[in-house]
Each structure stands twice: as structure tokens, then as C-alpha cells.
């Protein structure tokens, strides 16, 4: 009986700690305090079996993008999409913007196409896609 109670308490503690990191990070995130949110999301992504890992990676990517740290933003968005390609369309757009800044135009075009498929009226996304396609073309031409 003792071991059952111990196991239940351990699982409860583990689960609440996981939720605590995400909710603390979300509190700062909602207030626009992205720098303060980062450590909480980083703790979450280090956990082996976290159900909220993709959410934490996506939010880390957004935080870093907003703070103009495009290298870390790309890394975290990439990790999020390795877990699952299922994400809100805004995440596709944000990741594409980061890839574009990092001069990864082909990959940016891939995510812009995914975004445009669900948001076909977004003219900014269409212009960004056109830019990525044109820059790829010009980069293949001899000088």
C-alpha cells in the first residue's frame, strides 16, 4: 500500500511540476516578457517525456524571434516541427520568417506555402514567398 501511495504522489508531483514550468512561462509570455519566459520553456524542453514539449519549443522560437535571436529561434522551431508538423498557421509563418532572415530561402518557401494554404488572403505571406522564389532564382544565375 505504501508503494502505491508513493507512486501516485510521485506521478502527481511530476505532472504538476511539468505544468508549473509551462504555466510560469506562459504568464511571462502573455505579458510580452519574452526574455523572462525563456528559462521556463527551456526547463520544459529538457524533460524527456513532456507532453508540452512541442508547445514549449514553439514558444521558445517565438520568444527568440521577437528578441531578434534568429539562430536560436530557428533551432527551436525546427525541434518543434520534428515532434509534429501539426501547429497553428502562425507558427508556419513565423518559422518561415526566421528561415528567410537566416538566408534559408527554399525551406522558408516550404513553410510559407503551408501558411498560404490555410491563409490564402495574406498578401504579406505571398510577397515573402515571391521574394524567396526570386532570390533562389537569382542565386543560381552566374554573375
Amino acid at each position: 500500500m505504501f508503494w502505491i501511495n508513493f507512486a501516485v504522489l510521485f506521478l502527481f508531483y511530476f505532472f504538476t511540476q511539468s505544468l508549473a514550468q509551462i504555466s510560469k512561462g506562459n504568464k511571462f509570455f502573455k505579458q510580452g516578457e519574452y526574455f523572462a519566459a525563456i528559462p521556463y520553456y527551456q526547463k520544459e524542453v529538457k524533460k524527456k517525456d513532456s507532453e508540452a514539449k512541442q508547445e514549449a519549443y514553439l514558444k521558445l522560437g517565438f520568444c527568440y524571434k521577437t528578441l531578434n535571436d534568429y539562430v536560436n529561434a530557428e533551432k527551436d522551431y525546427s525541434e518543434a516541427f520534428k515532434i509534429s508538423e501539426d501547429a497553428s498557421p502562425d507558427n508556419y509563418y513565423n518559422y518561415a520568417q526566421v528561415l528567410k532572415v537566416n538566408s534559408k530561402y527554399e525551406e522558408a518557401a516550404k513553410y510559407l506555402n503551408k501558411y498560404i494554404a490555410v491563409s490564402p488572403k495574406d498578401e504579406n505571406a505571398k510577397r515573402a514567398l515571391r521574394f524567396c522564389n526570386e532570390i533562389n532564382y537569382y542565386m543560381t544565375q552566374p554573375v
Side-chain angles (χ1 to χ4, degrees):
M1 185 67 172
F2 168 77
W3 291 108
I4 293 172
N5 288 337
F6 179 76
V8 168
L9 284 173
F10 178 77
L11 290 173
F12 178 75
Y13 174 77
F14 180 76
F15 183 72
T16 57
Q17 286 301 310
S18 178
L19 290 177
Q21 296 305 316
I22 285 288
S23 57
K24 285 179 186 176
N26 286 345
K27 177 183 158 203
F28 289 112
F29 188 90
K30 288 176 186 172
Q31 295 172 349
E33 296 179 33
Y34 303 115
F35 191 77
I38 288 172
Y40 296 104
Y41 294 136
Q42 286 174 332
K43 287 178 187 174
E44 187 63 34
V45 299
K46 288 179 183 175
K47 294 179 182 172
K48 216 172 197 167
D49 296 323
S50 169
E51 291 182 18
K53 192 176 264 193
Q54 184 183 28
E55 176 190 354
Y57 273 126
L58 290 170
K59 290 201 172 165
L60 273 170
F62 185 85
C63 288
Y64 284 124
K65 175 185 176 284
T66 304
L67 297 170
N68 298 325
D69 183 350
Y70 298 108
V71 172
N72 279 319
E74 180 182 345
K75 178 182 70 73
D76 288 323
Y77 274 122
S78 174
E79 289 298 321
F81 288 119
K82 283 180 190 173
I83 294 170
S84 172
E85 284 285 323
D86 263 353
S88 74
D90 289 339
N91 288 307
Y92 294 138
Y93 185 77
N94 289 332
Y95 186 35
Q97 293 292 71
V98 167
L99 291 166
K100 192 174 82 162
V101 169
N102 290 343
S103 302
K104 296 183 179 176
Y105 304 111
E106 275 185 57
E107 200 172 348
K110 172 186 160 187
Y111 283 94
L112 284 166
N113 279 320
K114 287 182 178 198
Y115 175 75
I116 291 169
V118 293
S119 300
K121 294 182 180 182
D122 189 329
E123 292 301 318
N124 288 330
K126 290 177 183 177
R127 279 191 292 278
L129 178 60
R130 194 169 32 254
F131 171 82
C132 289
N133 291 333
E134 288 176 3
I135 197 99
N136 273 333
Y137 169 77
Y138 288 115
M139 289 177 72
T140 61
Q141 300 304 307
V143 180

